[in-house]
Amino acid sequence: MKKRIQHLFTGVLAIGLLAGCGNNNTGSNGAANAAANNATPAATAQQETSTAIDVLKVSFVPSKDPDQIITATEPLKELLKTQLGTKGFTVGDVQIDVGTTYEAVGEALSAGTTDVGLIPGGTYALYDDGAEVLLTSTRKALSNDSENPKDWNDNKPTTGLDDQQASYYRSLLIAGPSAKGQELAAKVNKGEELTWEDLNSATWAVMSTSSSAGYIYPTLWLQEKYQKGLTDLAKVTQSDSYGSSFARLAAGQADIVVAFADARRDNEEKWTSEYGGTGPIWDQTNVIGVTQPIYNDTVSVSKNSPIMTDELKTALQESFMEISETPEGKEVIAIYSHEGYKVAQSSDYDGERQAQELIRSMK
């Protein structure tokens, strides 16, 4: 099945040295010799081996409002140019965009029209013929991690644990303040099992078909419990971002949303300031389902990008990990709840591949 289915320094030191060298070549031999004598071996080697990249294109998926992502990631342009510059790559421009869908970023990686993509594991697994995973993100572990939805409701709000990192997360089925949402939450909080009829009578807001938390793993949850999938539900709306889903939930246009486990933390303020919630999000929402663990988001690169080499891949791996350890970098990657990165292997995402095989077999 074709994978079109439903579904990141200018090296200031290097440039300064190059400019200085150029000026010395036009001056006296004595000045040129003095410059050569003062140049360190490392700086000279960097001058001689620096690789010029006119444009490095970095794409993000629309898991939040695109404008919010663009604003938050703006500093990444200079951070990447600077860090790559220390590794022998002089980047003229870093262009950042947000894809219209998860699939759009996957297809851009496959086509080579973008060079780097920060994408979920599910999107990577779908497009791994044209995308190569470099890094897996790490996240702050959460105060809740139970597979029992009632535990999440009994221990609200969910908070982050500063001293713990997690390489996985979960997807939650979250019921809102609508009459149907409250009815389902009350049943769960009494320790009762939801029936397929309960779920099928509700209006759902989901993400695109390659979203791990917003589609794939909720489908697996339904399959395991009811031998059904999201496509079997009577009333499903696809949202363009999690923010849109929560806006629908607050307005009563959706009874259930599916989202990554810390999505309510991310949308806590907007729940009342923008989405129309009439009380705190923790009071007006409840978890009614919890999926199995999902391996974290990736930093992937295009196998078909004309600039992508093994040396650049290594430089990007090192640069993203180093950036994530700086205050500025931490602020940038926090837009996706990322805390840091570790080197990834393709096999880390075999679970995603198996999940998607199951979904395809259900269609």
Side-chain angles (χ1 to χ4, degrees):
M1 178 178 295
K2 293 183 178 179
K3 296 193 175 181
R4 295 177 180 268
I5 60 173
Q6 316 130 358
H7 335 285
L8 140 131
F9 278 138
T10 300
V12 176
L13 176 61
I15 288 180
L17 289 169
L18 285 169
C21 225
N23 289 337
N24 289 332
N25 286 338
T26 60
S28 67
N29 290 335
N33 290 335
N37 290 334
N38 290 330
T40 66
T44 302
Q46 183 172 331
Q47 279 183 280
E48 294 174 350
T49 62
S50 181
T51 299
I53 296 176
D54 292 337
V55 179
L56 179 70
K57 298 178 182 178
V58 182
S59 297
F60 291 81
V61 294
S63 60
K64 293 188 178 181
D65 180 85
D67 290 338
Q68 184 182 3
I69 296 173
I70 290 294
T71 299
T73 59
E74 177 67 24
L76 184 60
K77 297 178 180 179
E78 290 304 318
L79 290 172
L80 267 178
K81 289 167 68 175
T82 299
Q83 210 63 26
L84 286 171
T86 69
K87 304 180 188 309
F89 290 90
T90 302
V91 182
D93 186 26
V94 174
Q95 295 180 357
I96 294 177
D97 63 47
V98 180
T100 54
T101 63
Y102 289 46
E103 291 87 353
V105 179
E107 294 202 5
L109 286 168
S110 291
T113 54
T114 197
D115 307 306
V116 182
L118 280 80
I119 58 177
T123 308
Y124 160 67
L126 269 177
Y127 292 93
D128 60 1
D129 58 343
E132 179 179 346
V133 64
L134 296 185
L135 299 166
T136 293
S137 65
T138 60
R139 295 170 177 252
K140 185 178 293 185
L142 299 178
S143 57
N144 289 315
D145 191 40
S146 172
E147 294 186 355
N148 182 352
K150 184 177 183 299
D151 292 340
W152 292 73
N153 302 330
D154 289 343
N155 297 289
K156 293 190 291 186
T158 298
T159 59
L161 303 178
D162 292 331
D163 59 343
Q164 295 184 33
Q165 294 286 298
S167 59
Y168 69 86
Y169 62 106
R170 297 181 187 273
S171 175
L172 303 179
L173 282 66
I174 303 170
S178 67
K180 175 59 67 174
Q182 292 178 353
E183 172 191 322
L184 299 179
K187 192 169 182 178
V188 167
N189 289 334
K190 290 178 183 177
E192 300 176 11
E193 290 287 335
L194 296 175
T195 67
W196 172 253
E197 288 71 25
D198 289 330
L199 297 173
N200 197 37
S201 65
T203 299
W204 293 57
V206 305
M207 296 297 288
S208 63
T209 56
S210 73
S211 169
S212 298
Y215 196 96
I216 297 170
Y217 280 77
T219 291
L220 284 176
W221 184 87
L222 289 170
Q223 172 68 16
E224 291 168 357
K225 289 185 173 291
Y226 308 100
Q227 292 73 56
K228 302 282 188 179
L230 289 176
T231 55
D232 295 309
L233 292 164
K235 295 175 284 187
V236 178
T237 298
Q238 181 176 311
S239 298
D240 58 2
S241 70
Y242 285 111
S244 296
S245 283
F246 278 99
R248 289 189 170 101
L249 195 68
Q253 297 172 358
D255 305 309
I256 301 171
V257 299
V258 291
F260 55 98
D262 45 355
R264 286 183 295 177
R265 298 177 67 225
D266 289 352
N267 289 278
E268 183 172 3
E269 181 180 347
K270 288 186 176 182
W271 179 261
T272 51
S273 65
E274 294 184 25
Y275 302 158
T278 58
I281 193 170
W282 302 105
D283 293 343
Q284 294 198 286
T285 65
N286 285 276
V287 177
I288 61 170
V290 184
T291 74
Q292 64 182 272
I294 308 168
Y295 218 72
N296 280 349
D297 295 344
T298 78
V299 177
S300 296
V301 295
S302 171
K303 293 180 179 179
N304 298 312
S305 164
I307 67 169
M308 199 56 58
T309 62
D310 288 341
E311 292 77 15
L312 181 55
K313 292 174 191 176
T314 299
L316 284 166
Q317 278 183 323
E318 295 173 353
S319 294
F320 269 100
M321 288 190 288
E322 291 161 0
I323 288 169
S324 73
E325 295 175 355
T326 67
E328 299 86 356
K330 286 185 181 297
E331 188 172 348
V332 169
I333 66 176
I335 188 68
Y336 280 144
S337 301
H338 295 177
E339 294 277 328
Y341 298 100
K342 66 179 185 179
V343 175
Q345 305 294 329
S346 177
S347 59
D348 293 338
Y349 294 89
D350 284 347
E352 291 285 352
R353 296 181 179 95
Q354 293 167 6
Q356 293 182 31
E357 283 298 326
L358 175 59
I359 288 175
R360 283 194 285 269
S361 71
M362 293 167 55
K363 295 183 185 300

